Amino acid sequence: MKSIQLIGLIFLFPTLFFGQTKAIITIQNNSAIARQEAVTAIKWENITTAFPEIDTANFVIINQNTKKQVPYQLEHLGKSSIQNVLIQIDVKPKSSLNLMLQKGKPNLFETKTYARYVPERKDDFAWENDKIAFRAYGKAIEKSNEDAYGFDVWVKRTKKMILNERYKTGNYHVDSGNGMDYYHVGYSLGAGNMAPYINDTIRYSANYHQYKVLDNGPLRSTFQLIYDTWDAGKIKIKVTKTISIDAGSQLNRIENVYTFEDNKPIPVVIGIIKRAEAGVISLNEQQGILAYWEPTFAQDGTTGVGSILSNPTATMWIDKTQILAKTTVTNNSPIVYYTGACWDKAQEITNSKQWFDYLNNFQEQLKNPLTITIRQNKQ
């Protein structure tokens, strides 16, 4: 009875338990798509304008409806100063959500994203969230029979972070209950890597040689993979890839900056390796969505892979080994796209229609971002 009374008091008099509301954050969803587990960035300068005396170690964000703390992360983007506050929220279609910014001690939020350099496994760089995991290959594996050009997928069916455990045991090609690595990359772009496409030929770089972690959870991990200059069809090119993974998402945000001497745009392709067995492929040039539901591999299950381009897509096609989408990049100018995967054994996306619907909804959300307003609470 006492616990029920206490809960009732919290709902009636939240300031007794959380402190006075200093600012109100309104999140508006103008689209017809529900935003579930959406990680949203609020500019730190807007927070401090509404709450000038905020203490970075002693503030909470309260959902006005549930009176519960909202998980958040201070995003630095590799800088010493805070750039954004990241929050994870649910917002119904055509509706808004009010959050209360107050003084208080934040809960310890569950880690839902993680990324790290893996020197003990030939310079891998691996990253994950509560849905899926990936890795890119480093310098130490070059020119060996294990070398691969594209992004690798590590399927998982647990919300827990599994990278360290898998690397520690080393037996990650067998599903011990939380997923495994059965995705084959080889000499391809794998699960949505990008490369220059000069004279109708993919010009693969060597693997990444440097890295930099910009932020590392609990809601978003962001890092850079830096590639040395290489000869891409008589064009000297280098690239830095900035990759972010958000909690609750099947897709990564990738921002590539190519540097080359020619001021004219050059063609690039995003690619997904195609299996010899029959799968389901969707090429949506108008929306820039490249989607693949792989064939099922016996007890391993089925992986879905997809990429979404933000730049206009020149063309999409299928060759003998890959599914490709072509666009262009300009010198020293960022190009952003999204790529990722799912696994049917995670029991969330279990067929091609669900996967293609997920990618279409993701694209719609990109077109219709949540709007954020912050105002001081003058009570």
Side-chain angles (χ1 to χ4, degrees), residues 189 192-204 230 232 235 237-239 241 256-260 264-271 290 309 311-317 323-331 333-337:
L189 293 167
N193 202 0
M194 177 185 283
Y197 189 70
I198 310 298
N199 296 327
D200 295 331
T201 302
I202 300 174
R203 307 293 176 168
Y204 295 103
W230 78 101
I235 302 174
I237 296 178
K238 63 179 180 180
V239 64
K241 303 184 178 186
N256 292 341
V257 177
Y258 287 90
T259 304
F260 47 92
K264 295 180 180 179
I266 63 168
V268 294
V269 288
I270 296 166
L290 194 68
L309 286 72
N311 278 30
T313 306
T315 185
M316 294 180 175
W317 73 100
I323 307 162
L324 299 163
K326 184 169 73 171
T327 185
T328 58
V329 297
T330 55
N331 178 38
S333 180
I335 178 172
V336 175
Y337 72 102

Side-chain angles (χ1 to χ4, degrees), residues 28-322:
Q28 180 73 41
N29 179 9
N30 294 315
S31 76
I33 299 173
R35 305 301 172 92
Q36 297 177 329
E37 301 182 297
V39 174
T40 303
I42 305 172
K43 290 186 179 298
W44 181 246
E45 61 182 1
N46 294 340
I47 294 281
T48 57
T49 297
F51 187 3
E53 70 274 22
I54 191 170
D55 179 352
T56 57
N58 290 285
F59 78 90
V60 294
I61 301 173
I62 306 297
N63 184 314
Q64 194 175 61
N65 294 330
T66 65
K67 306 300 185 291
K68 294 181 179 180
Q69 287 195 29
V70 174
Y72 71 81
Q73 173 185 336
L74 302 179
E75 186 179 39
H76 290 260
L77 296 175
K79 301 176 182 178
S80 58
S81 58
I82 300 169
Q83 303 299 303
N84 299 298
V85 174
L86 305 176
I87 56 173
Q88 188 176 29
I89 52 172
D90 296 335
V91 191
K92 295 179 181 179
K94 302 291 184 179
S95 65
S96 62
L97 173 67
N98 285 332
L99 308 175
M100 302 179 293
L101 191 59
Q102 303 173 348
K103 292 181 180 180
K105 198 69 178 177
N107 294 333
L108 287 175
F109 302 123
E110 181 183 1
T111 296
K112 297 182 178 181
T113 69
Y114 179 63
R116 80 170 176 99
Y117 167 59
V118 191
E120 69 269 28
R121 221 308 293 196
K122 300 182 179 179
D123 293 342
D124 282 359
F125 195 99
W127 65 102
E128 66 177 319
N129 67 2
D130 50 348
K131 303 289 185 180
I132 196 75
F134 305 89
R135 68 171 165 174
Y137 296 93
K139 184 176 182 179
I141 207 171
E142 288 176 356
K143 298 180 181 179
S144 75
N145 60 2
E146 296 179 282
D147 196 10
Y149 297 148
F151 295 140
D152 192 16
V153 178
W154 279 19
V155 294
K156 55 189 291 188
R157 50 177 168 180
T158 175
K159 294 183 181 298
K160 296 180 180 179
M161 302 296 99
I162 49 81
L163 288 181
N164 288 338
E165 176 186 341
R166 288 193 188 176
Y167 277 114
K168 185 177 181 179
T169 62
N171 190 25
Y172 44 79
H173 295 291
V174 176
D175 183 6
S176 59
N178 63 22
M180 60 181 157
D181 173 25
Y182 78 97
Y183 190 81
H184 173 68
V185 177
Y187 299 125
S188 77
L189 293 167
N193 202 0
M194 177 185 283
Y197 189 70
I198 310 298
N199 296 327
D200 295 331
T201 302
I202 300 174
R203 307 293 176 168
Y204 295 103
S205 68
N207 295 333
Y208 86 90
H209 285 187
Q210 299 177 64
Y211 74 93
K212 184 177 182 181
V213 177
L214 306 183
D215 291 283
N216 209 353
L219 298 179
R220 175 180 292 168
S221 293
T222 303
F223 56 94
Q224 292 181 331
L225 301 179
I226 303 163
Y227 295 75
D228 291 348
T229 301
W230 78 101
D231 186 350
K234 298 183 180 180
I235 302 174
K236 298 295 184 182
I237 296 178
K238 63 179 180 180
V239 64
T240 296
K241 303 184 178 186
T242 303
I243 301 173
S244 296
I245 190 166
D246 283 357
S249 179
Q250 303 290 155
L251 305 183
N252 304 283
R253 179 187 187 274
I254 301 183
E255 180 177 304
N256 292 341
V257 177
Y258 287 90
T259 304
F260 47 92
E261 292 182 356
D262 198 339
N263 288 324
K264 295 180 180 179
I266 63 168
V268 294
V269 288
I270 296 166
I272 297 172
I273 188 170
K274 181 174 69 69
R275 310 305 174 191
E277 299 83 358
V280 185
I281 297 172
S282 174
L283 307 182
N284 188 336
E285 293 184 357
Q286 185 176 3
Q287 297 297 323
I289 302 174
L290 194 68
Y292 185 35
W293 187 253
E294 288 197 336
T296 300
F297 291 100
Q299 73 274 14
D300 294 338
T302 313
T303 299
V305 187
S307 302
I308 300 175
L309 286 72
S310 56
N311 278 30
T313 306
T315 185
M316 294 180 175
W317 73 100
I318 304 166
D319 70 11
K320 292 181 179 180
T321 59
Q322 300 191 73

Side-chain angles (χ1 to χ4, degrees), residues 9-19 62 67 100 102:
L9 285 171
I10 291 174
F11 272 82
L12 289 172
F13 306 105
T15 57
L16 292 176
F17 297 88
F18 300 114
I62 306 297
K67 306 300 185 291
M100 302 179 293
Q102 303 173 348

